[in-house]
Coordinates of all heavy atoms in Angstrom, one line a residue:
A103 N 108.4 14.0 -51.8 CA 109.5 13.5 -52.6 C 109.2 12.3 -53.4 O 109.7 12.1 -54.6 CB 110.8 13.4 -51.8
L104 N 108.5 11.4 -52.7 CA 108.2 10.1 -53.4 C 107.2 10.4 -54.6 O 107.5 9.8 -55.6 CB 107.5 9.2 -52.4 CG 107.1 7.8 -53.0 CD1 108.3 7.1 -53.5 CD2 106.4 7.0 -51.8
A105 N 106.2 11.2 -54.4 CA 105.3 11.5 -55.5 C 106.0 12.1 -56.7 O 105.7 11.9 -57.8 CB 104.2 12.3 -55.1
L106 N 107.0 13.1 -56.3 CA 107.7 13.7 -57.4 C 108.6 12.7 -58.1 O 108.8 12.7 -59.3 CB 108.6 14.8 -56.8 CG 109.4 15.6 -57.8 CD1 108.4 16.3 -58.8 CD2 110.3 16.6 -57.1
K107 N 109.3 11.8 -57.4 CA 110.1 10.7 -58.0 C 109.3 9.9 -59.0 O 109.7 9.6 -60.1 CB 110.7 9.9 -56.9 CG 111.6 8.9 -57.3 CD 112.2 8.0 -56.3 CE 113.2 6.9 -56.8 NZ 113.7 6.1 -55.7
E108 N 108.1 9.5 -58.5 CA 107.2 8.7 -59.4 C 106.8 9.5 -60.7 O 106.8 8.9 -61.8 CB 106.0 8.3 -58.7 CG 106.2 7.3 -57.6 CD 105.0 7.0 -56.7 OE1 103.9 7.7 -56.9 OE2 105.1 6.1 -55.9
L109 N 106.6 10.8 -60.5 CA 106.2 11.7 -61.7 C 107.4 11.8 -62.6 O 107.2 11.7 -63.8 CB 105.8 13.0 -61.1 CG 105.5 14.0 -62.3 CD1 104.0 13.8 -62.8 CD2 105.6 15.4 -61.8
I110 N 108.5 11.9 -62.1 CA 109.8 12.0 -62.9 C 110.0 10.7 -63.7 O 110.3 10.8 -64.9 CB 111.0 12.4 -62.0 CG1 110.9 13.8 -61.5 CG2 112.3 12.2 -62.8 CD1 111.9 14.1 -60.5
C111 N 109.9 9.6 -63.1 CA 110.0 8.3 -63.7 C 109.0 8.2 -64.9 O 109.4 7.7 -65.9 CB 109.8 7.1 -62.7 SG 111.2 7.0 -61.5
E112 N 107.8 8.6 -64.6 CA 106.8 8.5 -65.7 C 107.1 9.5 -66.8 O 106.9 9.1 -68.0 CB 105.3 8.8 -65.1 CG 104.2 8.8 -66.1 CD 104.0 7.4 -66.7 OE1 104.6 6.4 -66.2 OE2 103.3 7.3 -67.8
G113 N 107.5 10.7 -66.5 CA 108.0 11.7 -67.5 C 109.1 11.1 -68.3 O 109.1 11.3 -69.5
Q114 N 110.1 10.5 -67.7 CA 111.2 10.0 -68.5 C 110.7 8.9 -69.4 O 111.2 8.6 -70.5 CB 112.3 9.4 -67.5 CG 113.0 10.6 -66.7 CD 113.9 10.1 -65.6 OE1 113.6 9.0 -65.0 NE2 114.8 10.8 -65.3
R115 N 109.8 8.0 -68.9 CA 109.3 6.9 -69.7 C 108.5 7.4 -70.9 O 108.7 6.9 -72.0 CB 108.4 6.0 -68.8 CG 107.9 4.7 -69.5 CD 106.9 3.9 -68.7 NE 105.6 4.7 -68.6 CZ 104.7 4.7 -69.7 NH1 105.0 4.0 -70.8 NH2 103.6 5.4 -69.5
K116 N 107.7 8.4 -70.7 CA 106.9 9.0 -71.7 C 107.9 9.6 -72.8 O 107.6 9.5 -74.0 CB 106.0 10.1 -71.2 CG 104.6 9.6 -70.7 CD 103.8 9.2 -71.9 CE 102.3 8.8 -71.4 NZ 101.5 8.6 -72.6
A117 N 108.8 10.3 -72.3 CA 109.8 10.9 -73.2 C 110.5 9.9 -74.1 O 110.7 10.1 -75.3 CB 110.8 11.8 -72.5
G118 N 110.8 8.7 -73.5 CA 111.4 7.7 -74.2 C 110.5 7.0 -75.3 O 110.9 6.7 -76.3
D119 N 109.2 6.9 -74.9 CA 108.2 6.2 -75.7 C 107.8 7.1 -76.9 O 107.7 6.6 -78.0 CB 107.1 5.7 -74.9 CG 107.4 4.7 -73.9 OD1 108.4 4.1 -74.1 OD2 106.6 4.4 -73.1
V120 N 107.4 8.3 -76.6 CA 106.7 9.1 -77.6 C 107.4 10.5 -77.9 O 107.0 11.3 -78.8 CB 105.3 9.5 -77.3 CG1 104.5 8.1 -77.2 CG2 105.1 10.2 -75.9
G121 N 108.5 10.7 -77.1 CA 109.2 12.0 -77.2 C 109.7 12.2 -78.6 O 109.9 13.4 -79.0
T122 N 110.2 11.2 -79.2 CA 110.8 11.4 -80.5 C 109.9 11.7 -81.6 O 110.4 12.1 -82.7 CB 111.5 10.0 -80.9 OG1 110.5 9.0 -80.8 CG2 112.6 9.6 -80.0
K123 N 108.6 11.8 -81.4 CA 107.7 12.2 -82.5 C 107.7 13.7 -82.7 O 107.2 14.2 -83.7 CB 106.3 11.7 -82.2 CG 105.6 12.5 -81.0 CD 104.2 12.0 -80.7 CE 103.5 12.7 -79.6 NZ 102.2 12.3 -79.3
F124 N 108.2 14.4 -81.7 CA 108.2 15.9 -81.8 C 109.3 16.4 -82.7 O 110.4 15.9 -82.6 CB 108.3 16.6 -80.4 CG 107.2 16.2 -79.5 CD1 107.5 15.6 -78.2 CD2 105.8 16.4 -79.8 CE1 106.5 15.2 -77.3 CE2 104.9 16.0 -78.9 CZ 105.2 15.5 -77.7
Q125 N 109.0 17.3 -83.6 CA 110.0 17.9 -84.5 C 111.0 18.7 -83.7 O 112.2 18.6 -84.0 CB 109.3 18.8 -85.6 CG 108.5 18.1 -86.6 CD 107.9 19.0 -87.6 OE1 108.0 20.2 -87.4 NE2 107.4 18.5 -88.7
D126 N 110.5 19.4 -82.7 CA 111.5 20.2 -81.9 C 111.6 19.4 -80.5 O 110.8 19.3 -79.7 CB 110.9 21.6 -81.6 CG 111.8 22.4 -80.8 OD1 113.0 22.0 -80.5 OD2 111.5 23.6 -80.5
Q127 N 112.9 18.9 -80.4 CA 113.2 18.1 -79.2 C 113.6 19.0 -78.0 O 113.9 18.5 -76.9 CB 114.3 17.1 -79.5 CG 113.8 16.1 -80.5 CD 112.8 15.1 -79.9 OE1 113.1 14.6 -78.8 NE2 111.7 14.9 -80.6
T128 N 113.8 20.3 -78.2 CA 114.3 21.2 -77.2 C 113.6 21.1 -75.9 O 114.1 21.0 -74.8 CB 114.4 22.7 -77.7 OG1 115.0 22.7 -79.0 CG2 115.1 23.5 -76.7
R129 N 112.2 21.2 -76.0 CA 111.4 21.2 -74.8 C 111.4 19.9 -74.1 O 111.5 19.9 -72.8 CB 109.9 21.5 -75.2 CG 109.6 23.0 -75.4 CD 108.1 23.3 -75.3 NE 107.8 24.6 -75.6 CZ 107.4 25.1 -76.8 NH1 107.4 24.2 -77.8 NH2 107.2 26.3 -76.9
V130 N 111.5 18.8 -74.8 CA 111.6 17.5 -74.1 C 112.9 17.4 -73.4 O 112.9 16.9 -72.2 CB 111.4 16.4 -75.2 CG1 111.6 15.0 -74.5 CG2 110.1 16.4 -75.9
R131 N 114.0 17.8 -74.0 CA 115.2 17.7 -73.3 C 115.3 18.6 -72.1 O 115.8 18.2 -71.1 CB 116.4 18.1 -74.3 CG 116.8 17.1 -75.3 CD 118.1 17.4 -75.9 NE 118.2 18.7 -76.6 CZ 117.8 18.9 -77.9 NH1 117.5 17.9 -78.6 NH2 117.9 20.1 -78.4
F132 N 114.7 19.8 -72.2 CA 114.7 20.8 -71.1 C 113.8 20.3 -70.0 O 114.2 20.4 -68.8 CB 114.2 22.1 -71.6 CG 114.3 23.3 -70.6 CD1 115.5 23.3 -69.7 CD2 113.5 24.3 -70.5 CE1 115.6 24.3 -68.8 CE2 113.6 25.3 -69.6 CZ 114.6 25.2 -68.7
M133 N 112.7 19.6 -70.3 CA 111.9 19.0 -69.3 C 112.7 17.9 -68.5 O 112.6 17.8 -67.3 CB 110.7 18.4 -69.9 CG 109.6 17.8 -68.9 SD 108.4 16.7 -69.6 CE 109.4 15.3 -69.9
L134 N 113.3 17.1 -69.3 CA 114.1 16.0 -68.6 C 115.3 16.6 -67.8 O 115.6 16.1 -66.7 CB 114.7 15.0 -69.7 CG 113.7 14.2 -70.4 CD1 114.4 13.4 -71.6 CD2 112.9 13.3 -69.5
E135 N 115.9 17.6 -68.2 CA 117.0 18.2 -67.5 C 116.4 18.8 -66.2 O 117.1 18.7 -65.2 CB 117.7 19.3 -68.3 CG 118.5 18.8 -69.5 CD 119.0 19.8 -70.4 OE1 118.7 20.9 -70.2 OE2 119.7 19.5 -71.4
T136 N 115.3 19.5 -66.3 CA 114.6 20.1 -65.1 C 114.2 19.0 -64.1 O 114.4 19.2 -62.9 CB 113.4 20.9 -65.6 OG1 113.7 21.9 -66.5 CG2 112.7 21.6 -64.4
M137 N 113.7 17.9 -64.7 CA 113.3 16.8 -63.8 C 114.5 16.2 -63.1 O 114.4 15.9 -61.9 CB 112.6 15.7 -64.5 CG 111.2 16.1 -65.0 SD 110.3 14.7 -65.9 CE 108.6 15.3 -65.7
L138 N 115.6 16.1 -63.8 CA 116.9 15.6 -63.2 C 117.4 16.5 -62.2 O 117.9 16.1 -61.1 CB 117.9 15.4 -64.3 CG 119.2 14.7 -63.8 CD1 118.9 13.3 -63.3 CD2 120.2 14.6 -65.0
A139 N 117.3 17.8 -62.4 CA 117.7 18.8 -61.4 C 116.9 18.7 -60.2 O 117.5 18.8 -59.0 CB 117.7 20.2 -62.0
L140 N 115.6 18.5 -60.3 CA 114.7 18.4 -59.1 C 115.0 17.1 -58.4 O 115.1 17.1 -57.1 CB 113.3 18.3 -59.6 CG 112.7 19.7 -60.0 CD1 111.3 19.5 -60.7 CD2 112.5 20.7 -58.9
K141 N 115.2 16.0 -59.1 CA 115.6 14.7 -58.5 C 116.8 14.9 -57.7 O 116.9 14.2 -56.6 CB 115.7 13.7 -59.6 CG 115.9 12.3 -59.1 CD 116.1 11.3 -60.3 CE 116.3 9.9 -59.8 NZ 116.4 8.9 -60.9
N142 N 117.8 15.5 -58.2 CA 119.1 15.7 -57.5 C 119.2 16.9 -56.6 O 120.2 17.2 -56.0 CB 120.2 15.8 -58.5 CG 120.4 14.5 -59.3 OD1 120.1 13.4 -58.9 ND2 120.9 14.7 -60.6
N143 N 118.0 17.6 -56.4 CA 117.9 18.8 -55.6 C 119.0 19.8 -55.9 O 119.6 20.4 -55.1 CB 118.0 18.5 -54.1 CG 117.5 19.5 -53.3 OD1 116.6 20.3 -53.6 ND2 118.0 19.6 -52.0
D144 N 119.2 20.1 -57.3 CA 120.3 21.0 -57.7 C 119.6 22.1 -58.4 O 119.3 22.1 -59.7 CB 121.2 20.2 -58.7 CG 122.4 21.0 -59.0 OD1 122.5 22.2 -58.7 OD2 123.3 20.4 -59.7
M145 N 119.4 23.2 -57.7 CA 118.7 24.4 -58.3 C 119.6 25.1 -59.4 O 119.1 25.8 -60.3 CB 118.4 25.4 -57.2 CG 117.5 24.9 -56.1 SD 117.2 26.2 -54.9 CE 116.2 25.3 -53.7
R146 N 120.9 24.9 -59.3 CA 121.8 25.6 -60.3 C 121.5 25.1 -61.7 O 121.9 25.8 -62.6 CB 123.2 25.3 -59.9 CG 123.6 25.9 -58.5 CD 125.0 25.4 -58.2 NE 125.0 23.9 -58.1 CZ 126.2 23.2 -57.9 NH1 127.3 23.8 -57.7 NH2 126.1 21.9 -57.9
K147 N 121.0 23.9 -61.9 CA 120.8 23.3 -63.2 C 119.5 23.9 -63.9 O 119.4 23.6 -65.1 CB 120.7 21.8 -63.1 CG 121.9 21.1 -62.6 CD 123.0 21.2 -63.6 CE 124.2 20.3 -63.1 NZ 125.4 20.3 -64.1
I148 N 118.8 24.7 -63.2 CA 117.6 25.3 -63.8 C 117.9 26.7 -64.2 O 117.9 27.5 -63.2 CB 116.3 25.1 -63.0 CG1 116.1 23.7 -62.6 CG2 115.1 25.8 -63.6 CD1 114.9 23.5 -61.7
P149 N 118.0 27.1 -65.5 CA 118.4 28.4 -65.8 C 117.4 29.4 -65.4 O 116.2 29.3 -65.5 CB 118.4 28.4 -67.4 CG 118.6 27.0 -67.7 CD 117.9 26.2 -66.6
G150 N 117.9 30.5 -64.7 CA 117.1 31.6 -64.3 C 116.2 31.3 -63.1 O 115.3 32.2 -62.6
Y151 N 116.4 30.2 -62.4 CA 115.6 29.9 -61.3 C 116.2 30.5 -60.0 O 117.3 30.4 -59.7 CB 115.6 28.3 -61.0 CG 114.7 27.9 -59.9 CD1 113.4 28.0 -59.9 CD2 115.3 27.6 -58.6 CE1 112.6 27.5 -58.8 CE2 114.6 27.2 -57.5 CZ 113.2 27.2 -57.6 OH 112.4 26.9 -56.5
D152 N 115.3 31.4 -59.4 CA 115.7 32.1 -58.1 C 114.6 31.9 -57.1 O 113.6 32.6 -57.2 CB 115.9 33.6 -58.5 CG 116.4 34.3 -57.3 OD1 116.8 33.7 -56.3 OD2 116.4 35.6 -57.3
P153 N 114.8 31.1 -56.2 CA 113.8 30.8 -55.2 C 113.6 31.9 -54.1 O 112.7 31.8 -53.3 CB 114.2 29.4 -54.5 CG 115.7 29.5 -54.7 CD 116.0 30.2 -55.9
E154 N 114.6 32.7 -54.0 CA 114.7 33.7 -52.8 C 113.5 34.5 -52.7 O 112.9 34.6 -51.6 CB 116.0 34.5 -52.9 CG 116.2 35.3 -51.6 CD 117.5 36.0 -51.6 OE1 118.4 35.7 -52.5 OE2 117.7 36.9 -50.7
P155 N 113.0 35.2 -53.7 CA 111.8 36.1 -53.5 C 110.6 35.3 -53.0 O 109.9 35.8 -52.2 CB 111.6 36.7 -54.9 CG 112.9 36.6 -55.6 CD 113.6 35.3 -55.1
M156 N 110.3 34.2 -53.6 CA 109.2 33.3 -53.2 C 109.3 32.9 -51.8 O 108.3 32.8 -51.0 CB 109.0 32.2 -54.2 CG 107.7 31.4 -53.9 SD 106.2 32.4 -53.9 CE 106.2 32.9 -55.6
E157 N 110.6 32.4 -51.5 CA 110.8 31.9 -50.1 C 110.6 33.0 -49.0 O 110.0 32.7 -47.9 CB 112.2 31.4 -49.9 CG 112.4 30.0 -50.4 CD 111.5 29.0 -49.7 OE1 111.5 29.0 -48.5 OE2 110.9 28.2 -50.4
K158 N 110.9 34.3 -49.3 CA 110.7 35.3 -48.4 C 109.1 35.5 -48.2 O 108.7 35.8 -47.1 CB 111.3 36.6 -49.0 CG 112.8 36.7 -48.8 CD 113.4 38.0 -49.3 CE 114.8 38.1 -49.1 NZ 115.4 39.3 -49.6
L159 N 108.4 35.5 -49.3 CA 107.0 35.6 -49.2 C 106.3 34.5 -48.5 O 105.4 34.6 -47.6 CB 106.3 35.7 -50.6 CG 106.6 37.0 -51.4 CD1 106.1 37.0 -52.8 CD2 105.9 38.2 -50.7
R160 N 106.9 33.3 -48.7 CA 106.3 32.1 -48.0 C 106.6 32.1 -46.5 O 105.8 31.8 -45.7 CB 106.9 30.8 -48.6 CG 106.3 30.4 -49.9 CD 107.1 29.3 -50.6 NE 107.0 28.0 -49.8 CZ 106.1 27.0 -50.1 NH1 105.4 27.1 -51.2 NH2 106.1 25.9 -49.4
K161 N 107.7 32.6 -46.1 CA 108.1 32.8 -44.7 C 107.2 33.8 -44.0 O 106.7 33.6 -42.9 CB 109.5 33.2 -44.5 CG 110.6 32.1 -44.8 CD 111.9 32.5 -44.6 CE 113.0 31.4 -44.9 NZ 114.3 31.9 -44.8
L162 N 107.0 34.9 -44.7 CA 106.1 35.9 -44.2 C 104.6 35.4 -44.0 O 104.0 35.6 -43.1 CB 106.1 37.1 -45.1 CG 105.1 38.3 -44.7 CD1 105.3 38.9 -43.4 CD2 105.1 39.4 -45.9
Q163 N 104.2 34.6 -45.0 CA 102.9 34.1 -45.0 C 102.7 33.1 -43.8 O 101.7 33.0 -43.2 CB 102.6 33.4 -46.4 CG 101.1 33.0 -46.5 CD 101.0 31.7 -47.2 OE1 101.9 30.9 -47.3 NE2 99.7 31.5 -47.7
R164 N 103.7 32.2 -43.7 CA 103.7 31.2 -42.6 C 103.5 31.9 -41.3 O 102.8 31.4 -40.4 CB 105.0 30.3 -42.6 CG 104.9 29.2 -43.6 CD 106.0 28.2 -43.3 NE 107.3 28.7 -43.5 CZ 108.1 28.6 -44.7 NH1 107.5 28.1 -45.7 NH2 109.2 29.2 -44.8

Side-chain angles (χ1 to χ4, degrees):
L104 180 59
L106 183 64
K107 183 179 178 181
E108 291 173 353
L109 178 80
I110 290 171
C111 289
E112 181 61 18
Q114 291 171 333
R115 188 188 68 78
K116 275 283 188 177
D119 290 346
V120 299
T122 53
K123 72 179 182 181
F124 301 124
Q125 290 183 348
D126 184 3
Q127 295 290 308
T128 307
R129 279 198 184 95
V130 177
R131 284 198 301 270
F132 190 34
M133 184 196 74
L134 292 174
E135 288 170 3
T136 302
M137 286 181 165
L138 186 62
L140 288 169
K141 185 178 179 181
N142 296 331
N143 199 26
D144 190 352
M145 298 181 185
R146 298 169 302 172
K147 295 290 185 180
I148 302 179
Y151 181 76
D152 182 11
E154 189 174 348
M156 185 56 66
E157 277 302 312
K158 285 182 178 178
L159 287 173
R160 282 170 68 101
K161 284 180 182 177
L162 175 61
Q163 189 218 18
R164 277 196 294 269

